[in-house]
Every structure is written in structure tokens, then in C-alpha cells.
């Protein structure tokens, strides 16, 4: 990937020099750098707020209670994962963070869930069925509040940055529905039930 981006930059600079637009390339590079820093500051603020909310919820025991309430859903999706496994709590945390559009907060929980799921199977070097199912579900990422997109739209001057909530909810409901159907079909075929 570094070679791809590096090559594109070199080609752009060389093309700008050959066509007499090197000044425009330099101006645009500086403007883009400034815009990138501004976006990072905006996203850091949104990230700090929502990660803080997740930490408060975690320390108040809300995540554990949500994970407990999600047990029927988790049993349906991950029947091979024991009820007392820490993987369930991490999976629930990941799912809640994704529903709130907090991919950066979902990632640590997702990594912890994968580690716990791996402990349940002694086979080395292979992903377990539960790990694959979790990955599929995580990628589909049901989002009720797409915080990232709302922050991006706000940063770039959208009059109604939250207008994306409805379409995002519909799109992620469809993708998550497809993921659940795929997971259950895979489990049906794998276990012949």
C-alpha cells in the first residue's frame, strides 16, 4: 500500500512539473494537509466523547447488563460459545459500540473477543467457526447512530449532518440481516441440522 500511495504522489508531482502546474500541486498539498489536521481534531473530539461514554457505561456495569440481556441473541448467533465465556461479553461490547457507530471503541472489544474465541479451540493456525461468524457479523456492522459519518458531514459543512441516520440504519439493517442469514446457513450446512 505504501508503494501504491508513494507512486501516486510521485506521478502527480512529476505530471504537475511537466505540465507547469507544480505550484498548484504544492498549494493543494498544503491545503490538504491543513484539512487533514482539522478533520483529525474534529474526529478526536467526537471519538473522545463517545469512547468516554462507553467507558462510563462499562464502569457502571451497563455493558455487562447489556451483554447479559443479549444472551439469547448471542446463543442464537454463537451456539458453540459457552454462556460463561468472556468472549460473549467482548462480543456484546463490540456489537453495542458498532451500533453506536464507534468503530474505534468496537475494535479493542473485537480483538479481545477473537482472543477469547481462539482459546475455546485448541487448533492452532486456523480460525474457528465462531471466529468466522463474529468477523462476518462485525463487518456487517449494524449502526443505529453513525457517529463517524455525522462528524464528517458536520466538518464539511452539511446543513443537516444527522440526515444520514435513516439511510444508514436501513443499509446496515440489510447488511446485518444478510450476515445473520449467511451465518445461520453456514451453521446449518456445517452441522447438518
Amino acid at each position: 500500500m505504501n508503494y501504491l500511495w508513494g507512486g501516486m504522489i510521485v506521478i502527480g508531482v512529476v505530471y504537475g512539473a511537466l505540465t507547469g502546474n507544480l505550484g498548484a500541486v504544492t498549494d493543494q498539498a498544503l491545503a490538504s494537509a491543513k484539512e487533514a489536521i482539522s478533520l483529525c481534531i474534529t474526529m478526536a473530539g467526537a471519538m473522545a466523547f463517545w469512547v468516554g461514554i462507553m467507558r462510563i457505561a462499562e464502569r457502571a456495569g451497563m455493558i455487562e447488563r447489556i451483554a447479559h440481556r443479549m444472551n439469547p441473541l448471542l446463543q442464537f448467533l454463537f451456539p458453540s460459545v459457552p454462556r460463561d465465556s468472556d468472549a460473549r461479553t467482548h462480543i456484546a461490547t463490540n456489537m453495542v459500540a458498532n451500533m453506536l457507530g464507534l468503530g474505534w471503541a468496537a475494535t479493542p472489544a473485537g480483538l479481545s473477543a477473537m482472543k477469547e474465541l481462539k482459546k475455546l479451540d485448541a487448533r492452532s493456525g486456523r480460525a474457528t467457526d465462531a471466529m468466522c461468524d463474529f468477523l462476518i457479523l462485525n463487518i456487517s456492522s449494524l449502526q443505529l447512530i453513525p457517529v463517524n459519518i455525522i462528524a464528517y458531514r458536520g466538518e464539511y459543512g452539511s446543513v443537516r449532518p444527522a440526515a444520514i441516520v435513516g439511510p444508514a440504519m436501513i443499509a446496515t439493517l440489510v447488511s446485518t440481516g444478510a450476515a445473520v442469514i449467511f451465518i445461520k446457513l453456514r451453521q446449518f450446512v456445517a452441522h447438518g441440522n
Side-chain angles (χ1 to χ4, degrees):
M1 207 53 170
N2 290 339
Y3 293 119
L4 177 65
W5 285 109
M8 289 173 32
I9 291 169
V10 168
I11 289 169
V13 170
V14 169
Y15 182 78
L18 293 175
T19 59
N21 293 318
L22 195 53
V25 170
T26 303
D27 291 343
Q28 193 57 43
L30 293 174
S32 295
K34 179 181 175 185
E35 186 176 323
I37 295 298
S38 174
L39 181 61
C40 285
I41 291 169
T42 298
M43 294 309 295
M47 181 176 79
F49 175 76
W50 286 103
V51 170
I53 295 292
M54 285 294 291
R55 287 286 178 221
I56 291 169
E58 191 176 309
R59 288 187 180 167
M62 292 173 67
I63 299 296
E64 196 170 309
R65 286 193 295 276
I66 290 170
H68 179 72
R69 289 199 177 167
M70 289 177 71
N71 261 334
L73 175 65
L74 296 176
Q75 183 61 34
F76 172 72
L77 294 171
F78 305 100
S80 65
V81 178
R83 285 186 183 268
D84 61 343
S85 173
D86 287 339
R88 283 192 183 227
T89 302
H90 296 304
I91 290 170
T93 302
N94 176 274
M95 290 173 71
V96 168
N98 275 328
M99 284 182 209
L100 295 174
L102 306 174
W104 52 77
T107 300
L111 293 173
S112 296
M114 283 296 199
K115 287 176 186 172
E116 291 298 322
L117 290 171
K118 186 62 182 164
K119 288 179 186 177
L120 298 175
D121 192 334
R123 296 179 295 178
S124 63
R126 293 188 64 194
T128 66
D129 290 343
M131 290 169 76
C132 293
D133 292 344
F134 175 63
L135 181 63
I136 292 165
L137 192 64
N138 188 45
I139 290 169
S140 73
S141 187
L142 173 63
Q143 289 190 11
L144 303 177
I145 306 169
V147 173
N148 280 348
I149 302 302
I150 292 170
Y152 289 139
R153 288 171 52 90
E155 175 65 19
Y156 289 109
S158 173
V159 176
R160 294 177 41 224
I164 193 72
V165 171
M169 197 180 303
I170 292 167
T172 60
L173 276 169
V174 170
S175 67
T176 301
V180 170
I181 290 168
F182 179 81
I183 287 169
K184 295 316 285 180
L185 285 173
R186 191 210 53 76
Q187 289 173 353
F188 179 79
V189 170
H191 300 295
N193 293 330

